[in-house]
Amino acid sequence: MKLAQRVQRIKPSPTIAAAAKARALKAQGVDICDLTVGEPDLDTPDFIKEAAMQALREGYTKYTDARGMEPLRKAICEKLERDNGLHYTPDQIVASCGAKHALFNAFQALIDPGEQVLIPAPYWVSYPDMVLVCDGEPVIIPTTEETGFKPTPKQIADAITDRTRVLLINSPCNPTGAVWERELLEEIAEIVLKHENLFVISDEVYECLVYDGRKHVSIASLSERIKERTIVVNALSKTFAMTGWRLGYAAAPKPIADAMAKIQSQSTTNPTTFVQVAAIKALREPGDFPQKMLELYDFRRHMIVTALNNIDGVRCRMPEGAFYAFANFQEAIDLKGFKDDYELCDFLLEKAHVATVAGSAFGAPGYLRLSFATSEDTLQEAARRIKEALWGDRH
């Protein structure tokens, strides 16, 4: 059967595949410590659920504007002004079916065949494949633990060519938890502004999870000039534990927002209508849920990083944001004779019944991503099992 070339260029999401393996074993009755999950383990707050149910009772079951109903876009504008110091008007906002959808729309609007997107690695697994679907070329910029998994301005400047169209920023970062400081963003903004056809897509979906007194800074907030070159992408998925609700949004210069809305009008039309109503409630009256989640995950962050660093052959930086520990297992891989991090993942799943995601999926061979968006008991048991599986023969 002949399929389109774009399908053959991309691969299924490795994180979804890893989670599926874990679910299959759970279905067989195997006790799995699942650290693959890319979503909060907390439930959506009741006040948001009630708002959705009330919206259904009131008949919010019809189509809306493709870019989302105006009250939602106004609420998004209010949120961006309040939390990020960003002033937008509703016609610059496009609400979509999750941040992934917003990113896809942005790439579709900006990239022509053969044009390049700069993607710092480690990166979220979907970025390169989204670019490939658009017939673009992902250009990977490697980073290291020594730089805090952040690119240097020189790396970015050196990577720009006459085909470079987009620089992708993900801060806080999935999978590393890196948070890009204002000073770094200011230097990067200066570089971007030297190239008239270069835009920034800033994925800020983990903005509510920033630790140790750090502050999330959106590059778009640095000046009006860089704001005119930036598409800010966010969602309610992480902030309000609403991953399955599928409600994200983008804020962009009006011509780009219009282009994204046009693309969306020919794909999904609008995000689910009653979810939009619930999102208005969440955005305008967030309550203390995001802060409580931050405090909980901060505690778990210290727990899992400490436990991982007590395993021979494993080294783990303390993440600055998000809810992932990105641990260097290369020494353990070498000592135990594994071919690569994928083989180590399979070993840990089969022998220790611990599900993780290989760092190679994020452009970082030798690492594993372990989500701490799960219970303390699960994290403690997972670390114990990993240590036992790797080094139990020493006892």
Side-chain angles (χ1 to χ4, degrees), residues 208-211 289-299:
C208 70
L209 294 170
V210 179
Y211 307 107
F289 180 83
Q291 180 61 32
K292 287 185 175 179
M293 180 168 61
L294 174 67
E295 293 168 2
L296 176 64
Y297 287 164
D298 188 18
F299 176 78

Side-chain angles (χ1 to χ4, degrees), residues 286-345:
D288 61 359
F289 180 83
Q291 180 61 32
K292 287 185 175 179
M293 180 168 61
L294 174 67
E295 293 168 2
L296 176 64
Y297 287 164
D298 188 18
F299 176 78
R300 294 176 179 176
R301 174 179 70 121
H302 284 278
M303 174 187 291
I304 189 62
V305 170
T306 299
L308 289 168
N309 281 322
N310 283 328
I311 301 173
D312 290 345
V314 180
R315 182 175 73 246
C316 187
R317 264 185 110 255
M318 187 67 71
E320 299 165 347
F323 47 63
Y324 306 104
F326 200 61
N328 189 334
F329 276 77
Q330 189 60 57
E331 185 180 347
I333 290 169
D334 293 340
L335 289 171
K336 297 297 290 185
F338 294 112
K339 181 176 66 176
D340 54 26
D341 48 342
Y342 284 115
E343 188 172 26
L344 173 60
C345 272

